Amino acid sequence: MTEKILMKGNEAVAEAAIRAGCRHYFAYPITPQSELIEYMAKKMPKVGGTFLQAESEVAAINMVLGAAACGVRTMTSSSSPGISLKQEGISYIAASRLPAVIVNVQRGGPGLGNIAPMQCDYFQATRGGGHGDYYTPVLSPSTVQEFADMAPLAFEIAERYRTPVLILADGMLGQMMEPVVFPESYPPQRDPSDWALGCHKDRKENHIINTLFIDPNLLDSKTRILFEVYEEIKKNEVRFETYNLESRPKILVASTGTAARVVKSAIDALKEQGVEMGLFRPITLWPFPYDALHQAAAGVDKVITVELNMGQMEQDVRLALNGLCPTEFVGKAGGLVFTPEELADILRKKAS
Amino acid sequence: MKIVAKRTAGLTDARLHYCPGCLHGVAHRIIGEAMEELSIIDRTIGIAPVGCAVFAYNFFSCDMIQVPHGRAPAVATGIRRARPDCVVFTYQGDGDLAAIGTAETVHAANRNENISVFFINNAVYGMTGGQMAPTTLANMKATTAPYGRDVEDTGGPMRVCELLASLEKPYFITRVSLLSPKDILKAKKAVKRALAGNMEKKGFHFVEMISTCPTNWGMEPLKARQWARESMIPVFPLGVFKDREAEEKEAAS
Amino acid sequence: MAKLTIDEFYCKGCGLCIEACPKKVLAFAEHLNEAGYHPVTCTDQEICTGCALCHVTCPDGAITIEK
């Protein structure tokens, strides 16, 4: 491990991506993600990598499509409206079964919204934001260290399953500074030469990457291959964290990302007042930890979902519980963020 | 007896799906032959657009990728950066390049991206059934301009070569035609020069080819060629609009 | 004297080669090929000079010429 470095989330994930071997980054400026693209602009040339500011997010994701098709580690980043512009490209990357990493540093929405942190792109991220039957793994960090560690993890998942992977952070995590350490070594890239363009193990045939299948039977079978991969991902890649469940709390709070940090502080504050609550924090939003949440909720009176939006993950929470116990939702829109004290008050009232 | 003319190894054995007399096939042949003659089939990556040429991945024998409508120059940029030793070309129609893909085209040109863009201009959207394109002529009928294109309302036919030639960095921009054997031979020279230029990493090579769309124009192939000569060439004059090699030679002399 | 062969699999009977041939030796055949087009045939190999203008104009790579 390197020694600790104080870094912004945006810079930490960029540094980690470079250390993990990403050498091709294409993006477009947008607050609150700009430190990430600026960091890449400074560092990529130093490692002989490609840094290119594209003319739009649409162009950037298509540059990633091209680089990914050549089997190199490639990445882009943006924020909410920019990620909306990338959805068609992501659908193509998913359908073409190409590894790539996309970072969304969420901002206030809808529309231009504002540049405050929010979690209002949950549905877009977890339900396959573009056209067609597809999903992408979605990782949700809640600390700068976790945000950084997700870069190598995202590349690993992307290459193991040949899929684009989305890291869903937010403006607070992107702009916040925390100490970060980086591992000495990273898993090597998987050999892409039996499918990638321009690199061939043996030059018997040309490589073709295509997502057009006029014959419905062919598109059906191609889609089923994607869904076999998704079953594998669901089996192997679910990640979550629980907090304070050992005190057998009667109320379980479900929350992810920045919101989950505030929930932890609220839980600590309530503990001092003799009120016990537990936290279930999904780390992979897709595949969502349905079974784990269902088990964690065994014996609780109610599950409260806390989000920085008007209620999106709470639908997955209800799916996970499947009627096991009542659920409630606590949320803020507009980019407002709960203070721990404010949230502790709200939760305590819900406990009585 | 020696073979003097045959199917090029730059194309596969597949039968082209284009309509009878459509000149896409000619464009395919001259690109395939150029790759074969430059012996770069093994290290070329072609990019198929969305449009009549969407099936180009079945026709060119080099590595191919099919990409979103209009985004070929951006994908080419990504490929170019990831595989600097490959030759990269995009093959696009006038809807793909001059409508939805305008920004990608202009910016790839502006960056003098070391790619070749082969732009087939037949003044309509072919695959979707003859809609108006940015290159549709004034008063020319199309399924979305049933009374003829009203240039006051929809703008005039877009001259992409001239548009791109106003940029400083693009290396080579020319407009050729596929409308006669003589023109086709000249077109092939331009294609070959473009791919050779990429081999020497000279930058952005743009070859616009005036073509026909017999089916959607509602004309026999020969009549369509004649109409294109009489109506399109005056609006889309042939020639070289940017040649930095010539500029640099002149400056040096 | 040259030898011209037209591969009926590829020919779509578009007629561009017929017009291009300076010696006017190309014409539509009576029969239909499997795709339902009248393929083009060479009516007189003797006159064909092997200039290959037909090959140049053919959009479908149907024509092979030996000389």
Side-chain angles (χ1 to χ4, degrees):
Chain A
M1 284 295 181
T2 64
E3 69 315 325
K4 283 191 175 167
I5 314 164
L6 198 58
M7 289 180 99
K8 284 192 173 190
N10 282 336
E11 291 166 345
V13 70
E15 176 61 26
I18 291 174
R19 285 170 180 261
C22 173
R23 286 296 175 274
H24 298 277
Y25 172 85
F26 310 91
Y28 189 83
I30 183 169
T31 307
Q33 164 265 172
S34 296
E35 292 84 358
L36 206 164
I37 181 173
E38 287 158 3
Y39 193 88
M40 288 294 197
K42 278 200 281 294
K43 293 290 174 106
M44 261 313 179
K46 293 228 166 23
V47 295
T50 300
F51 166 80
L52 185 57
Q53 179 176 315
E55 57 271 27
S56 72
E57 290 92 345
V58 177
I61 192 68
N62 279 284
M63 292 175 188
V64 165
L65 169 62
C70 294
V72 299
R73 280 194 166 171
T74 182
M75 171 176 158
T76 185
S77 62
S78 185
S79 175
S80 306
I83 298 291
S84 294
L85 289 175
K86 293 180 193 286
Q87 293 305 317
E88 181 200 33
I90 293 170
S91 171
Y92 267 73
I93 295 172
S96 309
R97 296 207 56 209
L98 299 174
V101 172
I102 301 114
V103 179
N104 178 3
V105 183
Q106 293 172 94
R107 58 183 277 159
L112 189 53
N114 59 31
I115 56 171
M118 266 195 90
Q119 300 181 317
C120 46
D121 302 349
Y122 180 92
F123 280 150
Q124 179 190 61
T126 59
R127 292 317 190 261
H131 58 288
D133 271 321
Y134 77 97
Y135 293 94
T136 61
V138 180
L139 307 175
S140 169
S142 73
T143 66
V144 169
Q145 180 67 57
E146 196 174 29
F147 194 6
D149 295 342
M150 281 180 174
L153 175 60
F155 279 114
E156 223 187 301
I157 293 175
E159 280 155 24
R160 183 179 310 143
Y161 301 98
R162 284 180 57 191
T163 172
V165 173
L166 181 67
I167 300 175
L168 192 62
D170 60 63
M172 177 175 285
L173 208 50
Q175 309 268 337
M176 165 195 289
M177 289 185 100
E178 282 182 325
V180 186
V181 291
F182 296 101
E184 289 308 328
S185 67
Y186 290 82
Q189 187 186 351
R190 284 170 182 263
D191 172 17
S193 56
D194 51 14
W195 53 267
L197 300 181
C199 86
H200 293 253
K201 214 175 277 159
D202 45 43
R203 185 76 219 204
K204 275 212 241 32
E205 297 142 2
N206 60 341
H207 286 167
I208 295 176
I209 290 177
N210 162 50
T211 61
L212 173 66
F213 303 104
I214 291 289
D215 172 3
N217 296 302
L218 200 47
L219 182 56
D220 175 80
S221 59
K222 289 286 179 181
T223 305
R224 286 178 191 285
I225 292 169
L226 281 187
F227 277 73
E228 280 159 25
V229 172
Y230 296 149
E231 285 317 307
E232 278 305 299
I233 297 175
K234 285 178 190 169
K235 231 187 298 159
N236 309 327
E237 304 300 338
V238 169
R239 287 171 173 79
F240 61 92
E241 180 201 13
T242 56
Y243 184 71
N244 196 36
L245 289 199
E246 59 289 354
S247 57
R248 316 235 37 81
K250 278 299 161 203
I251 289 191
L252 181 63
V253 180
S255 191
T256 189
T258 295
R261 296 174 70 113
V262 182
V263 170
K264 272 187 186 172
S265 310
I267 287 175
D268 293 346
L270 290 170
K271 188 185 269 292
E272 280 156 25
Q273 301 160 20
V275 177
E276 292 296 351
M277 289 195 187
L279 165 67
F280 183 92
R281 177 173 74 94
I283 296 172
T284 53
L285 302 185
W286 199 93
F288 192 81
Y290 291 114
D291 302 344
L293 175 50
H294 192 90
Q295 279 143 30
V300 303
D301 295 345
K302 114 175 55 172
V303 173
I304 303 171
T305 306
V306 174
E307 293 181 80
L308 302 181
N309 57 37
M310 294 300 284
Q312 297 189 26
M313 188 176 83
E314 64 104 14
Q315 292 191 10
D316 272 330
V317 170
R318 279 192 271 145
L319 280 177
L321 300 174
N322 203 8
L324 180 67
C325 66
T327 65
E328 283 187 40
F329 170 71
V330 172
K332 276 186 186 279
L336 293 167
V337 180
F338 299 97
T339 63
E341 301 70 29
E342 177 188 15
L343 188 57
D345 275 352
I346 295 169
L347 294 176
R348 192 177 49 251
K349 287 195 188 75
K350 295 216 178 265
S352 50
Chain B
M1 284 272 198
K2 197 164 65 50
I3 290 186
V4 293
K6 61 168 180 51
R7 285 182 68 82
T8 168
L11 296 181
T12 64
D13 302 336
R15 177 166 43 196
L16 301 183
H17 79 296
Y18 300 112
C19 307
C22 166
L23 300 179
H24 265 301
V26 174
H28 279 45
R29 178 180 63 75
I30 60 179
I31 293 169
E33 284 178 2
M35 283 199 294
E36 182 180 9
E37 287 156 24
L38 293 167
S39 44
I40 52 171
I41 296 173
D42 279 356
R43 66 184 184 92
T44 299
I45 299 174
I47 298 169
V50 168
C52 287
V54 68
F55 294 108
Y57 57 83
N58 284 328
F59 304 142
F60 290 111
S61 49
C62 55
D63 280 1
M64 291 296 294
I65 177 171
Q66 193 285 315
V67 305
H69 194 35
R71 314 309 172 196
V75 176
T77 300
I79 291 173
R80 160 81 294 124
R81 301 311 174 96
R83 293 269 162 235
D85 46 9
C86 284
V87 174
V88 183
F89 72 85
T90 76
Y91 187 102
Q92 301 173 257
D94 29 21
D96 192 276
L97 183 135
I100 190 170
T102 316
E104 282 77 6
T105 305
V106 167
H107 285 276
N110 200 46
R111 291 191 300 265
N112 194 29
E113 209 62 55
N114 186 36
I115 60 176
S116 283
V117 172
F118 299 128
F119 166 38
I120 312 301
N121 176 358
N122 62 6
V124 282
Y125 281 72
M127 171 65 89
T128 41
Q131 292 79 12
M132 181 180 78
T135 46
T136 298
L137 307 184
N139 309 316
M140 176 180 172
K141 283 199 167 57
T143 56
T144 50
Y147 311 111
R149 180 177 190 174
D150 173 1
V151 292
E152 295 315 316
D153 183 46
T154 68
M158 191 179 282
R159 286 184 266 274
V160 177
C161 284
E162 291 81 341
L163 186 75
L164 296 180
S166 69
L167 299 170
E168 185 195 329
K169 288 296 177 205
Y171 198 77
F172 179 68
I173 299 174
T174 183
R175 179 182 294 121
V176 296
S177 127
L178 303 175
L179 302 177
S180 70
K182 184 164 63 66
D183 285 358
I184 293 169
L185 294 174
K186 277 199 216 132
K188 180 173 169 188
K189 280 202 190 69
V191 163
K192 206 167 173 183
R193 174 168 172 185
L195 294 175
N198 289 147
M199 291 165 71
E200 292 156 33
K201 303 199 187 314
K202 289 279 179 25
F204 187 80
H205 291 71
F206 188 84
V207 181
E208 175 179 351
M209 306 181 206
I210 299 300
S211 183
T212 60
C213 185
T215 299
N216 287 307
W217 292 357
M219 299 174 198
E220 290 286 328
L222 280 172
K223 184 166 180 313
R225 254 189 3 187
Q226 188 55 31
W227 181 83
R229 273 194 215 109
E230 286 154 8
S231 324
M232 287 184 73
I233 298 298
V235 176
F236 300 107
L238 308 183
V240 174
F241 296 85
K242 187 109 170 83
D243 184 346
R244 276 181 48 197
E245 187 167 355
E247 285 165 20
E248 279 145 18
K249 260 201 204 100
E250 209 176 290
S253 64
Chain C
M1 218 282 279
K3 184 165 180 302
L4 180 140
T5 43
I6 294 174
D7 186 334
E8 289 201 357
F9 173 73
Y10 292 112
C11 177
K12 293 177 187 156
C14 75
L16 292 180
C17 58
I18 295 173
E19 190 263 352
C21 175
K23 296 290 182 185
K24 297 303 168 206
V25 291
L26 299 177
F28 290 117
E30 289 303 316
H31 68 279
L32 299 177
N33 67 7
E34 65 163 27
Y37 298 114
H38 287 288
V40 171
T41 64
C42 177
T43 57
D44 189 341
Q45 290 279 11
E46 296 310 317
I47 302 180
C48 167
T49 66
C51 72
L53 280 179
C54 54
H55 168 85
V56 168
T57 58
C58 175
D60 288 282
I63 301 173
T64 302
I65 295 162
E66 293 154 279
K67 224 162 127 182

Coordinates of all heavy atoms in Angstrom, one line a residue, chain A residues 41-93:
Chain A
A41 N -6.4 15.0 -17.6 CA -5.7 15.8 -18.6 C -4.2 16.0 -18.1 O -3.3 16.0 -19.0 CB -6.3 17.2 -18.6
K42 N -4.0 16.1 -16.8 CA -2.6 16.3 -16.3 C -1.8 14.9 -16.4 O -0.7 14.9 -16.8 CB -2.7 16.8 -14.9 CG -2.9 18.3 -14.7 CD -2.4 18.8 -13.4 CE -3.4 18.5 -12.2 NZ -4.7 19.0 -12.1
K43 N -2.5 13.9 -15.9 CA -1.7 12.6 -15.6 C -1.6 11.7 -16.8 O -0.6 11.0 -17.0 CB -2.4 11.9 -14.5 CG -2.3 12.6 -13.1 CD -0.8 12.6 -12.6 CE -0.7 13.4 -11.4 NZ -0.5 12.7 -10.2
M44 N -2.7 11.6 -17.7 CA -2.6 10.6 -18.8 C -1.4 10.8 -19.7 O -0.7 9.8 -20.0 CB -3.9 10.7 -19.6 CG -4.9 9.6 -19.3 SD -4.4 7.9 -19.2 CE -6.0 7.2 -18.8
P45 N -1.1 12.0 -20.1 CA 0.0 12.2 -21.0 C 1.3 11.7 -20.3 O 2.2 11.2 -20.9 CB 0.1 13.7 -21.2 CG -1.3 14.2 -21.0 CD -1.9 13.3 -19.9
K46 N 1.4 11.8 -19.0 CA 2.6 11.4 -18.2 C 2.8 9.9 -18.3 O 3.9 9.4 -18.2 CB 2.5 11.9 -16.8 CG 2.6 13.4 -16.6 CD 3.6 13.8 -15.5 CE 3.9 15.3 -15.4 NZ 2.9 16.2 -16.0
V47 N 1.7 9.1 -18.5 CA 1.9 7.7 -18.5 C 1.8 7.2 -20.0 O 1.5 6.0 -20.2 CB 0.9 7.0 -17.6 CG1 1.1 7.3 -16.1 CG2 -0.6 7.3 -18.0
G48 N 1.9 8.1 -20.9 CA 1.8 7.7 -22.3 C 0.4 7.3 -22.7 O 0.2 6.5 -23.6
G49 N -0.6 7.8 -21.9 CA -2.0 7.4 -22.2 C -2.7 8.4 -23.1 O -2.1 9.5 -23.4
T50 N -3.9 8.1 -23.5 CA -4.7 9.0 -24.3 C -5.6 9.8 -23.4 O -6.4 9.2 -22.6 CB -5.6 8.2 -25.2 OG1 -4.8 7.4 -26.1 CG2 -6.5 9.1 -26.0
F51 N -5.5 11.1 -23.4 CA -6.6 12.0 -22.8 C -7.2 12.8 -24.0 O -6.4 13.4 -24.7 CB -6.0 12.9 -21.8 CG -7.0 14.0 -21.5 CD1 -8.0 13.8 -20.6 CD2 -7.0 15.3 -22.1 CE1 -9.0 14.7 -20.3 CE2 -7.9 16.2 -21.8 CZ -8.9 16.0 -20.9
L52 N -8.5 12.7 -24.2 CA -9.1 13.5 -25.2 C -10.4 14.1 -24.7 O -11.3 13.4 -24.3 CB -9.4 12.6 -26.4 CG -9.9 13.3 -27.7 CD1 -9.0 14.4 -28.1 CD2 -10.1 12.4 -28.8
Q53 N -10.5 15.4 -24.8 CA -11.7 16.1 -24.4 C -12.6 16.1 -25.7 O -12.2 16.6 -26.7 CB -11.5 17.5 -24.0 CG -12.8 18.2 -23.7 CD -12.6 19.6 -23.1 OE1 -11.8 19.8 -22.2 NE2 -13.3 20.6 -23.6
A54 N -13.7 15.4 -25.6 CA -14.6 15.2 -26.8 C -15.5 16.4 -27.0 O -15.6 17.3 -26.1 CB -15.4 14.0 -26.6
E55 N -16.1 16.5 -28.2 CA -17.0 17.6 -28.5 C -18.3 17.5 -27.7 O -19.1 18.5 -27.7 CB -17.2 17.8 -30.0 CG -17.8 16.6 -30.7 CD -16.7 15.6 -31.1 OE1 -15.6 15.5 -30.5 OE2 -17.0 14.8 -32.1
S56 N -18.6 16.4 -27.2 CA -19.9 16.2 -26.5 C -19.8 14.9 -25.7 O -18.9 14.1 -26.0 CB -21.1 16.1 -27.4 OG -21.0 14.9 -28.1
E57 N -20.7 14.7 -24.8 CA -20.7 13.4 -24.1 C -21.1 12.3 -25.0 O -20.7 11.2 -24.9 CB -21.7 13.5 -22.9 CG -21.3 14.3 -21.8 CD -21.8 15.8 -21.9 OE1 -22.3 16.2 -23.0 OE2 -21.8 16.5 -20.9
V58 N -21.9 12.6 -26.0 CA -22.3 11.6 -27.0 C -21.0 11.2 -27.8 O -20.7 10.0 -27.9 CB -23.3 12.2 -28.1 CG1 -23.6 11.2 -29.1 CG2 -24.5 12.7 -27.4
A59 N -20.2 12.1 -28.2 CA -18.9 11.7 -28.9 C -18.0 11.0 -27.9 O -17.4 10.0 -28.3 CB -18.2 13.0 -29.4
A60 N -18.0 11.4 -26.7 CA -17.0 10.7 -25.7 C -17.4 9.3 -25.5 O -16.5 8.4 -25.6 CB -17.1 11.5 -24.4
I61 N -18.7 9.0 -25.3 CA -19.0 7.5 -25.1 C -18.8 6.7 -26.4 O -18.4 5.6 -26.3 CB -20.5 7.4 -24.6 CG1 -20.7 6.0 -24.1 CG2 -21.5 7.7 -25.7 CD1 -20.0 5.6 -22.8
N62 N -18.8 7.4 -27.5 CA -18.6 6.6 -28.8 C -17.1 6.4 -29.0 O -16.7 5.5 -29.6 CB -19.3 7.3 -29.9 CG -20.7 6.9 -30.0 OD1 -21.1 5.8 -30.4 ND2 -21.6 7.8 -29.5
M63 N -16.3 7.3 -28.4 CA -14.8 7.1 -28.5 C -14.5 5.9 -27.5 O -13.7 5.1 -27.9 CB -14.1 8.4 -28.0 CG -14.2 9.5 -29.0 SD -13.5 11.1 -28.4 CE -14.1 12.2 -29.6
V64 N -15.2 5.9 -26.4 CA -15.0 4.7 -25.5 C -15.4 3.5 -26.2 O -14.7 2.4 -26.1 CB -15.8 4.9 -24.2 CG1 -15.9 3.6 -23.4 CG2 -15.2 6.0 -23.4
L65 N -16.5 3.5 -27.0 CA -17.0 2.3 -27.7 C -15.8 1.9 -28.7 O -15.5 0.7 -28.7 CB -18.2 2.7 -28.5 CG -18.7 1.6 -29.6 CD1 -19.0 0.3 -28.9 CD2 -19.9 2.2 -30.3
G66 N -15.2 2.8 -29.3 CA -14.1 2.5 -30.3 C -12.9 1.9 -29.6 O -12.4 0.8 -29.9
A67 N -12.5 2.5 -28.5 CA -11.3 2.0 -27.7 C -11.6 0.7 -27.1 O -10.8 -0.3 -27.2 CB -10.9 3.0 -26.7
A68 N -12.8 0.6 -26.5 CA -13.2 -0.7 -25.9 C -13.2 -1.8 -26.9 O -12.8 -3.0 -26.7 CB -14.6 -0.6 -25.2
A69 N -13.7 -1.5 -28.1 CA -13.7 -2.5 -29.2 C -12.3 -3.0 -29.6 O -12.2 -4.1 -30.1 CB -14.4 -1.9 -30.5
C70 N -11.3 -2.2 -29.2 CA -9.9 -2.6 -29.5 C -9.3 -3.4 -28.3 O -8.1 -3.7 -28.3 CB -9.1 -1.4 -29.8 SG -9.6 -0.7 -31.4
G71 N -10.1 -3.6 -27.3 CA -9.7 -4.4 -26.1 C -8.7 -3.7 -25.2 O -7.9 -4.3 -24.6
V72 N -8.7 -2.3 -25.1 CA -7.9 -1.6 -24.2 C -8.7 -1.2 -23.0 O -10.0 -1.1 -23.1 CB -7.2 -0.4 -24.8 CG1 -6.3 -0.8 -26.0 CG2 -8.2 0.6 -25.3
R73 N -8.1 -0.9 -21.9 CA -8.8 -0.4 -20.7 C -9.2 1.1 -20.9 O -8.3 1.9 -21.1 CB -8.0 -0.6 -19.4 CG -8.0 -2.0 -18.9 CD -7.5 -2.1 -17.5 NE -7.9 -3.5 -17.0 CZ -7.5 -4.0 -15.8 NH1 -6.6 -3.4 -15.1 NH2 -7.9 -5.2 -15.5
T74 N -10.5 1.4 -21.0 CA -10.9 2.7 -21.4 C -12.0 3.2 -20.4 O -12.8 2.3 -19.9 CB -11.4 2.8 -22.8 OG1 -11.7 4.1 -23.2 CG2 -12.5 1.8 -23.1
M75 N -12.1 4.5 -20.3 CA -13.1 5.0 -19.3 C -13.6 6.4 -19.7 O -12.9 7.1 -20.5 CB -12.3 5.1 -18.0 CG -13.0 5.9 -16.9 SD -11.8 5.7 -15.4 CE -12.4 7.1 -14.5
T76 N -14.8 6.7 -19.2 CA -15.3 8.1 -19.4 C -15.9 8.5 -18.1 O -16.2 7.6 -17.2 CB -16.3 8.2 -20.5 OG1 -16.6 9.6 -20.7 CG2 -17.5 7.4 -20.3
S77 N -16.2 9.7 -17.9 CA -16.9 10.2 -16.7 C -17.7 11.4 -17.0 O -17.4 12.1 -18.0 CB -15.9 10.6 -15.6 OG -15.1 11.6 -16.0
S78 N -18.8 11.6 -16.3 CA -19.6 12.8 -16.5 C -20.5 12.9 -15.3 O -20.3 12.3 -14.3 CB -20.5 12.6 -17.8 OG -21.2 13.7 -18.1
S79 N -21.6 13.8 -15.5 CA -22.5 14.0 -14.4 C -23.9 14.0 -15.0 O -24.2 14.6 -16.1 CB -22.3 15.3 -13.7 OG -23.3 15.6 -12.7
S80 N -24.8 13.4 -14.4 CA -26.3 13.2 -14.7 C -26.7 13.6 -16.1 O -27.0 12.7 -16.9 CB -27.0 14.0 -13.7 OG -26.7 13.5 -12.4
P81 N -26.8 14.9 -16.5 CA -27.3 15.2 -17.9 C -26.3 14.6 -18.9 O -26.8 14.1 -19.9 CB -27.3 16.7 -17.9 CG -26.9 17.3 -16.6 CD -26.6 16.2 -15.7
G82 N -25.0 14.7 -18.6 CA -24.1 14.1 -19.5 C -24.2 12.6 -19.7 O -24.1 12.0 -20.7
I83 N -24.6 11.9 -18.5 CA -24.8 10.5 -18.6 C -26.1 10.2 -19.4 O -26.1 9.2 -20.1 CB -24.9 9.9 -17.1 CG1 -23.6 10.2 -16.4 CG2 -25.2 8.4 -17.1 CD1 -22.4 9.4 -16.8
S84 N -27.1 11.1 -19.3 CA -28.2 10.9 -20.2 C -27.8 10.8 -21.6 O -28.3 10.0 -22.4 CB -29.2 12.0 -19.9 OG -29.8 12.0 -18.6
L85 N -26.9 11.7 -22.0 CA -26.5 11.8 -23.4 C -25.8 10.5 -23.8 O -25.7 10.2 -25.0 CB -25.6 13.0 -23.7 CG -26.3 14.3 -23.6 CD1 -25.3 15.5 -23.8 CD2 -27.4 14.4 -24.7
K86 N -25.2 9.8 -22.9 CA -24.4 8.6 -23.2 C -25.2 7.3 -23.3 O -24.6 6.3 -23.6 CB -23.3 8.4 -22.1 CG -22.2 9.5 -22.1 CD -21.2 9.3 -21.0 CE -20.3 10.4 -20.7 NZ -19.3 10.6 -21.8
Q87 N -26.5 7.4 -23.0 CA -27.2 6.1 -22.9 C -27.2 5.3 -24.1 O -27.1 4.1 -24.1 CB -28.7 6.4 -22.4 CG -28.7 7.0 -21.0 CD -28.0 6.1 -20.0 OE1 -28.2 4.9 -20.0 NE2 -27.3 6.8 -19.1
E88 N -27.4 5.9 -25.3 CA -27.4 5.1 -26.5 C -26.1 4.4 -26.7 O -26.0 3.2 -27.0 CB -27.7 6.0 -27.7 CG -27.7 5.2 -29.1 CD -27.5 6.1 -30.3 OE1 -26.7 7.0 -30.2 OE2 -28.1 5.8 -31.3
G89 N -25.0 5.1 -26.5 CA -23.7 4.5 -26.6 C -23.5 3.3 -25.6 O -22.9 2.3 -25.9
I90 N -24.0 3.5 -24.4 CA -23.8 2.5 -23.4 C -24.6 1.2 -23.8 O -24.1 0.1 -23.7 CB -24.3 3.0 -22.0 CG1 -23.3 4.1 -21.5 CG2 -24.3 1.8 -20.9 CD1 -23.8 4.8 -20.2
S91 N -25.8 1.4 -24.4 CA -26.6 0.3 -24.9 C -25.8 -0.5 -25.9 O -25.7 -1.7 -25.9 CB -27.9 0.8 -25.5 OG -28.6 -0.2 -26.1
Y92 N -25.1 0.3 -26.8 CA -24.3 -0.4 -27.8 C -23.1 -1.1 -27.2 O -22.8 -2.3 -27.6 CB -23.7 0.7 -28.8 CG -24.6 0.9 -30.1 CD1 -25.8 1.6 -30.0 CD2 -24.2 0.4 -31.3 CE1 -26.5 1.9 -31.1 CE2 -24.9 0.7 -32.4 CZ -26.1 1.4 -32.3 OH -26.9 1.6 -33.5
I93 N -22.5 -0.5 -26.2 CA -21.3 -1.1 -25.6 C -21.8 -2.4 -24.9 O -21.1 -3.5 -25.0 CB -20.6 -0.2 -24.6 CG1 -20.0 1.0 -25.3 CG2 -19.5 -0.9 -23.8 CD1 -19.5 2.1 -24.4

